[in-house]
Amino acid sequence: AVRDRRISKDTTGYGQVAQLRARGRPELNLLWVAPTGSVTAPFIPYRIGVQSIAPQFGKHRYLTKGEASAFLTRDWQIQEATEFAGRLFKRLMYFTCDHPAKFLPEVNESLTAFENRLIAEQDMVVATTDALFAAGKRDQALDYLTGYSQQAGEDALALGHALLASIEARTELLYGLRRPEGATMSGMDTPRVSCDEREPGSP
């Protein structure tokens, strides 16, 4: 349901699912977050006890209101230098949704397989965290949760790169890189990017 292409599109922003279970410890409450529209982006597990997120998944100038009108501060230099996960998966969305009948099934299959692996790991994550808390090692427990989510994010980026490289190359070979016909790049009353739309040129 959360990846339904009729719902998840360019206009829906990021995806989020709250997993509601009685865990006993608030630190173990779980959010699954996709860095952009989940039609072509994976959900990554973040426990409430996570202390930080990887810079690739943090704030960047892209889509941050007003930032384009000024120069970057040195304080944010390295954060901005990192790859932005939202942009990576937006690119994947734009390529995939240009020919969804061709590319969307394999993207969904890959994302679902990735998430199923993470889902299967969650009992182990909870057991490890509980054991560290029970041993009085709260800081280590929170470090473990943080490291786990950061590794899941790195794995998501690797998957995104692989899918994007493959679909970009095949788009160019099979269809060519379609060029815009109009001068308007964006607008509020223009057709939106969606994998639910018919492919260009279809009847």
Side-chain angles (χ1 to χ4, degrees), residues 4-199:
D4 191 314
R5 61 185 179 176
R6 294 169 298 178
I7 300 170
S8 178
K9 48 188 74 176
D10 196 28
T11 55
T12 54
Y14 63 91
Q16 182 170 291
V17 176
Q19 188 172 355
L20 303 177
R21 291 184 180 175
R23 290 295 188 186
R25 301 183 189 278
E27 296 89 349
L28 287 173
N29 290 335
L30 179 58
L31 292 175
W32 293 84
V33 182
T36 189
S38 58
V39 67
T40 55
F43 284 93
I44 300 165
Y46 291 95
R47 301 279 169 176
I48 298 302
V50 165
Q51 299 297 287
S52 64
I53 60 173
Q56 295 90 338
F57 291 86
K59 181 179 178 180
H60 283 70
R61 284 161 64 91
Y62 175 71
L63 291 183
T64 301
K65 185 176 181 180
E67 291 296 331
S69 63
F71 294 105
L72 185 70
T73 65
R74 287 185 57 83
D75 187 38
W76 280 78
Q77 177 178 341
I78 298 303
Q79 171 83 10
E80 184 63 21
T82 63
E83 178 181 26
F84 180 38
R87 185 63 184 144
L88 168 66
F89 288 103
K90 278 284 191 183
R91 291 185 63 209
L92 180 60
M93 178 190 292
Y94 296 154
F95 273 112
T96 301
C97 291
D98 205 44
H99 296 281
K102 175 69 174 176
F103 298 124
L104 187 59
E106 68 183 80
V107 171
N108 279 342
E109 181 181 37
S110 297
L111 297 179
T112 300
F114 174 78
E115 292 158 352
N116 284 344
R117 176 179 65 80
L118 294 174
I119 290 169
E121 293 174 353
Q122 294 313 300
D123 286 344
M124 176 270 296
V125 171
V126 170
T128 301
T129 307
D130 274 337
L132 289 168
F133 272 114
K137 300 179 178 180
R138 182 178 186 277
D139 289 346
Q140 290 92 324
L142 300 183
D143 286 346
Y144 167 73
L145 292 177
T146 301
Y148 176 82
S149 290
Q150 289 187 352
Q151 183 59 58
E154 289 182 18
D155 294 343
L157 289 176
L159 174 61
H161 280 294
L163 289 170
L164 178 60
S166 173
I167 293 172
E168 181 177 11
R170 283 181 290 148
T171 295
E172 187 167 8
L173 288 170
L174 295 172
Y175 308 106
L177 296 180
R178 182 169 58 82
R179 295 186 179 276
E181 297 177 356
T184 302
M185 182 178 287
S186 57
M188 296 304 292
D189 57 352
T190 58
R192 312 297 173 83
V193 173
S194 168
C195 279
D196 194 38
E197 295 174 350
R198 293 179 299 176
E199 297 189 35

